[in-house]
Amino acid sequence: MDKSTSDNPSHELPPESDTTEEILPHTTAENSKTPSCSQSQRDYLNSSQVNQDDINFEDTTLSHNEVMDMVRAGVAELVKDPLLSDLPAEVTLDEVKSQIALEYGQAMKVIIKKECGTIMPIVVPQDATVVDLKHAIRRYVTLKQTREGGTTHISWRYIWKTYWLSFDGEKLSQNNKKLKDYGIRNRAELRFIKRLRSKVEGV
């Protein structure tokens, strides 16, 4: 035996099994192959786990109103683009799509003039039909009322039974006919004209 070892009993190593217990006090047969971690590493892993929990999908689920607020904020940022600068601050996604389609020639804007002189700029696809235009007018009026705080109920069935849309003196009498077949192009002006009661028209 080495004399230095026997003369310094305090330098003797403990049995191997005791050393293992001290270094890996929680080691089990199941995780015996897992390397040990320093306290700082364990703290890091624990903090990482907390961060993962913080971003858990269930914990960050947003309400409908919160999602809508985010969408509105994103759209408001989007319309700062010069291409969309003509749109209002409270713009809808449909309005953005329509404006982009208009700029790229995929849509056209028609000007609807009412008897009272009110003008409605309506954007419709290039291949829109008369009924598509009527639906677009309805959306425009409904959105305008919402923005102005109005609550007036409009009977569109009554409107279309009472008025024709006309272009260049011709009534748009066929709902499924395309606007371009009536000669309607971008910036064309259409008018509301009152229907005349007659047996021929059946009104």
Side-chain angles (χ1 to χ4, degrees):
M1 180 179 293
D2 191 336
K3 183 178 178 181
S4 62
T5 304
S6 60
D7 291 343
N8 297 286
S10 61
H11 288 227
E12 292 181 1
L13 293 175
E16 185 177 351
S17 60
D18 295 338
T19 304
T20 304
E21 284 186 16
E22 184 178 348
I23 297 175
L24 299 174
H26 301 296
T27 301
T28 64
E30 183 179 355
N31 60 8
S32 59
K33 294 183 180 179
T34 304
S36 60
C37 299
S38 66
Q39 182 61 43
S40 61
Q41 288 174 323
R42 286 196 293 270
D43 291 342
Y44 175 78
L45 291 174
N46 289 336
S47 65
S48 298
Q49 184 62 44
V50 171
N51 292 337
Q52 290 172 7
D53 291 342
D54 288 343
I55 61 174
N56 185 277
F57 178 78
E58 294 181 357
D59 294 339
T60 56
T61 299
L62 301 176
S63 68
H64 174 73
N65 288 337
E66 289 173 326
V67 172
M68 291 306 298
D69 287 342
M70 292 176 64
V71 172
R72 292 190 190 98
V75 172
E77 187 68 23
L78 180 64
V79 298
K80 292 180 181 179
D81 188 299
L83 180 69
L84 308 172
S85 58
D86 292 337
L87 296 175
E90 294 294 326
V91 66
T92 66
L93 187 56
D94 282 342
E95 287 176 308
V96 173
K97 289 180 178 179
S98 294
Q99 186 68 18
I100 293 174
L102 184 63
E103 293 293 336
Y104 282 92
Q106 298 170 350
M108 61 180 172
K109 180 184 289 185
V110 296
I111 310 301
I112 310 295
K113 291 187 175 182
K114 297 170 64 177
E115 287 185 321
C116 62
T118 302
I119 294 177
M120 297 184 292
I122 308 295
V123 178
V124 292
Q126 288 284 0
D127 61 349
T129 62
V130 173
V131 72
D132 292 333
L133 175 58
K134 290 180 177 180
H135 290 159
I137 292 172
R138 179 173 182 170
R139 288 193 298 270
Y140 174 89
V141 173
T142 301
L143 183 58
K144 189 171 186 294
Q145 277 193 323
T146 300
R147 285 175 173 158
E148 295 176 351
T151 57
T152 304
H153 174 71
I154 297 177
S155 172
W156 290 97
R157 178 176 294 183
Y158 171 80
I159 293 293
W160 301 126
K161 282 185 176 181
T162 308
Y163 294 92
W164 289 109
L165 285 171
S166 71
F167 171 68
D168 200 19
E170 182 179 3
K171 300 171 186 175
L172 308 189
S173 58
Q174 301 179 49
N175 279 334
N176 294 323
K177 187 173 180 177
K178 292 185 177 182
L179 299 180
K180 62 183 179 181
D181 292 338
Y182 281 103
I184 298 172
R185 299 292 184 267
N186 190 42
R187 309 295 301 182
E189 292 188 3
L190 285 70
R191 296 180 179 274
F192 274 104
I193 59 171
K194 202 158 190 176
R195 292 191 183 213
L196 299 177
R197 292 184 175 275
S198 67
K199 292 182 180 180
V200 175
E201 294 181 353
V203 295

